[in-house]
Amino acid sequence: MGIIDEIGESTIRLIYKTIYYTLGFLIALIKGLRKIDFKLYSFFEKKNIDFKDYIIFKLQMASLIFLILTVGYIFNYIHVKIMFFGLLILILIYLTYSISSLKNYCDEDFNAYKDFFLSYMLIPIIFIIVKNVKPVINFRFPYAHYVILSIVYVLFFSYYFRKKYARDFTYGKVVEDGEIIKVKVGYDIRANVKPKILNFANTINAKKGDVVKLRVEKGTFSIRGSKIVGVEGICKRENY
């Protein structure tokens, strides 16, 4: 066997081992994340927070950390590139894992959540690419292109999301029945509704455990979320 063949075989073995150990690391990481998830959720469960809302909270926090790290890199607060990109990769893995976890709790709404949080992940990645292609612009405001890019991106995605996913209703679960029902509402990104418990007159004879459809009234800019204005009826909906 010649030296070229030996180098070729050694290279193939190295690639194989790298892929093998990388996959092993990712599998172990995902298993570890699941264990941590359930331990952390026990705290949130005591606060009467559903697992779906807990996953969304994690996604929001991870997305925020991802964006903060990217901004720190853009403005040269983070100088160790290996550590920076290592952290970004870990956060991306965590975000991907959390998004996939939502599939069991969102039914037909999963694509809306997936697109929303993927857009959160995409903008920092675009910033990193722009940073490495054109760090600054010879202008009074050297980072103005990031601001312009952010505004254009947010406006475009907001229009796309409202056009494709926005709706004027949401769902809630009856937690207490009677003449006045208490309805627990979870986070609903399509209706722009935050978790809360509301009281309504029981005009539909709803019982405890029923899932009800709720009318939503959107504000002009919906910054604080939409307002739930009434109950439309009882509906069948799994994985609420």
Side-chain angles (χ1 to χ4, degrees), residues 19-35:
I19 294 172
Y20 176 80
Y21 286 114
T22 301
L23 288 174
F25 169 75
L26 292 176
I27 291 169
L29 181 63
I30 290 171
K31 287 181 178 178
L33 287 173
R34 284 178 178 171
K35 289 180 181 179

Side-chain angles (χ1 to χ4, degrees), residues 47-57 60 113 170-172 183-189 191-198 214 224-226 228 240:
K47 305 291 183 181
N48 202 28
I49 296 174
D50 293 333
F51 195 70
K52 172 191 166 185
D53 293 335
Y54 165 66
I55 295 174
I56 292 170
F57 172 75
Q60 290 172 330
Y113 287 95
T170 187
Y171 300 96
V183 180
K184 184 179 181 181
V185 181
Y187 188 89
D188 186 347
I189 200 169
N192 194 20
V193 169
K194 297 178 176 63
K196 61 187 73 176
I197 294 179
L198 300 169
L214 306 168
R224 295 185 179 180
S226 301
I228 298 173
Y240 177 78

Side-chain angles (χ1 to χ4, degrees), residues 108-136:
E108 72 272 12
D109 296 338
F110 173 70
N111 286 334
Y113 287 95
K114 181 188 68 176
D115 286 358
F116 183 82
F117 285 107
L118 284 178
S119 74
Y120 255 76
M121 295 162 63
L122 182 60
I123 187 65
I125 292 171
I126 293 173
F127 281 170
I128 292 168
I129 294 171
V130 173
K131 162 75 174 178
N132 287 279
V133 173
K134 188 68 175 176
V136 295

Side-chain angles (χ1 to χ4, degrees), residues 29-76:
L29 181 63
I30 290 171
K31 287 181 178 178
L33 287 173
R34 284 178 178 171
K35 289 180 181 179
I36 294 170
D37 264 350
F38 285 110
K39 287 182 180 179
L40 284 175
Y41 178 61
S42 61
F43 169 78
F44 288 89
E45 193 174 21
K46 292 175 184 176
K47 305 291 183 181
N48 202 28
I49 296 174
D50 293 333
F51 195 70
K52 172 191 166 185
D53 293 335
Y54 165 66
I55 295 174
I56 292 170
F57 172 75
K58 290 190 308 173
L59 282 166
Q60 290 172 330
M61 292 299 101
S63 300
L64 181 61
I65 293 169
F66 191 42
L67 185 60
I68 290 171
L69 283 173
T70 304
V71 171
Y73 173 69
I74 289 170
F75 288 97
N76 299 315

Side-chain angles (χ1 to χ4, degrees), residues 79-95:
H79 299 286
V80 185
K81 288 188 177 181
I82 294 175
M83 183 183 294
F84 168 71
F85 285 109
L87 283 171
L88 286 193
I89 289 169
L90 287 175
I91 294 171
L92 278 172
I93 291 170
Y94 187 71
L95 281 166

